[in-house]
Amino acid sequence: EQLRVALDDADSPWLIAPAAERLHRYQSRAGQAAIQARASAAAARVGPEMLGASERRTYLIGFVSPAEARGAIGMMGNYAVITIDRGLISRTEFGRTNELGNEVAAAGGVPVEVSDDFANRYGRYGIDAQSRATRSMWSNATMSPDVPTVASLMAQLWAGTGHEPVDGVFLIDPAGLAALLRATGPIEVEGLDRPLDAATVERFLYVDQYQADTPERSDLLEKVATATLDAVLAGQLPAPQQLARVLGPAATSGDLVGWASRPEEQELMRLIGMDGRFPVFDGDDGLAVVTNNASANKIDSFLQRSFAYDADVRDGMVHATLTINLRNNAPEAGYPSYVIGSEFLDLPPGTNRTLLS
């Protein structure tokens, strides 16, 4: 930090070009080193506690898929619970999201606290007039693009149905699972005629699995998620430096995100770039294009999104054009109705209905 400050103080418009070029290059390197140092220091402070150094820790793991689009990372289809006690990690529970929804329904709803913004945008999809979450909230909690909001809500739903409160929530999509398999190696899955590895698991989870009927597909998806998690917990992982190189891109691109209930541990998530927080603009302009599936199917595996934002300033005013392209490449046949059909809407097969924000 002192080096970064000293370099900033030395900067001047009077420097000759060769000196300025070198200074700016080292300013950038010092800034990157400062970020890494802060993250390393935070990990040294709170990492042991997160790994159960003094008391057992419990974390909820959500396996999500953008095949049914949700704003944050995708809809959660399966979940697991892991506990860590003095560094010993074990999987203590595994299940499906609809089972959690049934628990909410059996409890008559769960009181939750959410921001006014979340309530106004997404409350209609699972929060009643008494601020109680209904059974559909488990499927729709990830509609917000802000992971800390999503994870905090999931923690409330979990504890509100009688489960032991969790110390954090992690969400993993197929690209995140692929990153984990780069660290562990291929997995054998009962019911598949070939192993799955980092190169094949994404296509299988996005497209190939949906060629099976619903009961078989659910069991298969559960087996893939279970086998991957067990390989991480029971296998021989590479050295920390190599593990960081393998998992880093998945974490910083939003495919493997985490939230911790304690502020100092959540700060570590932010420093290492895996908190999935929606940016805080502090007066600056910002833009996000968010899509949520509105037809309760898995058709978003075939959705291609692109957008362009062109702005120019004239006479002190910003004139901008936002162009959004959503291309649906889904076929009209060849997949089960729960993939390309609309269970609750009278739409032709292959129709993509999207909530666009």
Side-chain angles (χ1 to χ4, degrees):
E1 288 284 5
Q2 291 173 350
L3 173 62
R4 184 184 61 79
V5 171
L7 291 171
D8 289 345
D9 290 343
D11 199 1
S12 168
W14 296 100
L15 289 174
I16 60 173
E21 182 181 330
R22 280 194 179 185
L23 181 65
H24 295 160
R25 185 165 70 247
Y26 286 112
Q27 279 178 302
S28 176
R29 291 179 61 179
Q32 294 172 357
I35 292 172
Q36 294 170 348
R38 283 195 294 269
S40 298
R45 283 195 304 271
V46 306
E49 291 303 314
M50 295 184 73
L51 295 173
S54 60
E55 61 179 352
R56 187 177 67 125
R57 293 298 187 90
T58 303
Y59 298 98
L60 178 66
I61 313 294
F63 296 95
V64 301
S65 175
E68 186 164 346
R70 292 291 186 269
I73 189 173
M75 196 187 88
M76 185 174 79
N78 292 86
Y79 73 93
V81 177
I82 64 169
T83 59
I84 311 180
D85 190 2
R86 286 170 290 187
L88 180 63
I89 308 176
S90 57
R91 176 172 58 85
T92 54
E93 193 171 339
F94 197 98
R96 299 174 184 170
T97 301
N98 59 0
E99 297 168 354
L100 298 178
N102 293 338
E103 291 180 354
V104 173
V110 173
V112 292
E113 292 184 6
V114 296
S115 68
D116 291 341
D117 182 68
F118 185 95
N120 292 334
R121 290 179 182 271
Y122 311 113
R124 74 190 74 175
Y125 304 109
I127 299 178
D128 63 22
Q130 288 73 44
S131 297
R132 297 179 67 87
T134 64
R135 69 183 305 160
S136 60
M137 195 72 259
W138 267 115
S139 296
N140 295 327
T142 51
M143 291 183 74
S144 167
D146 184 62
V147 170
T149 295
V150 167
S152 173
L153 175 57
M154 294 172 70
Q156 293 180 65
L157 291 170
W158 179 261
T161 47
H163 296 280
E164 176 187 358
V166 294
D167 298 291
V169 176
F170 291 88
L171 300 176
I172 307 173
D173 70 7
L177 288 176
L180 291 175
L181 292 183
R182 289 188 189 97
T184 65
I187 55 171
E188 298 280 350
V189 180
E190 182 183 354
L192 294 182
D193 57 1
R194 65 189 188 282
L196 289 177
D197 58 23
T200 59
V201 69
E202 284 189 75
R203 176 176 173 81
F204 175 80
L205 292 177
Y206 277 128
V207 179
D208 293 348
Q209 65 158 317
Y210 296 120
Q211 295 173 342
D213 292 335
T214 300
E216 297 173 2
R217 182 197 64 81
S218 296
D219 292 341
L220 210 53
L221 177 59
E222 186 171 319
K223 289 175 182 177
V224 171
T226 303
T228 302
L229 187 58
D230 288 349
V232 171
L233 300 183
Q236 183 66 41
L237 294 177
Q241 296 91 335
Q242 182 181 347
L243 190 62
R245 283 193 294 270
V246 169
L247 297 183
T252 55
S253 62
D255 299 306
L256 172 59
V257 292
W259 169 84
S261 60
R262 295 168 175 81
E264 66 275 13
E265 296 172 8
Q266 177 61 13
E267 175 64 6
L268 173 61
M269 298 293 183
R270 186 190 70 81
L271 287 170
I272 62 179
M274 65 178 297
D275 63 337
R277 181 183 64 163
F278 196 72
V280 178
F281 297 114
D282 291 330
D284 293 332
D285 290 335
L287 171 70
V289 177
V290 179
T291 52
N292 277 285
N293 182 291
S295 49
N297 57 16
K298 309 299 181 184
I299 203 167
D300 297 306
S301 290
F302 304 99
L303 177 65
Q304 287 185 325
R305 308 188 330 162
S306 64
F307 54 91
Y309 182 76
D310 298 310
D312 64 273
V313 180
R314 297 192 303 271
D315 301 324
M317 298 290 292
V318 176
H319 301 266
T321 301
L322 171 64
T323 305
I324 301 174
N325 287 299
L326 302 177
R327 181 178 179 87
N328 176 23
N329 293 317
E332 298 178 13
Y335 287 88
S337 61
Y338 69 85
V339 178
I340 59 173
S342 302
E343 182 179 353
F344 306 107
L345 301 167
D346 186 18
L347 298 173
T351 301
N352 186 312
R353 186 169 183 261
T354 293
L355 297 171
L356 176 65
S357 301

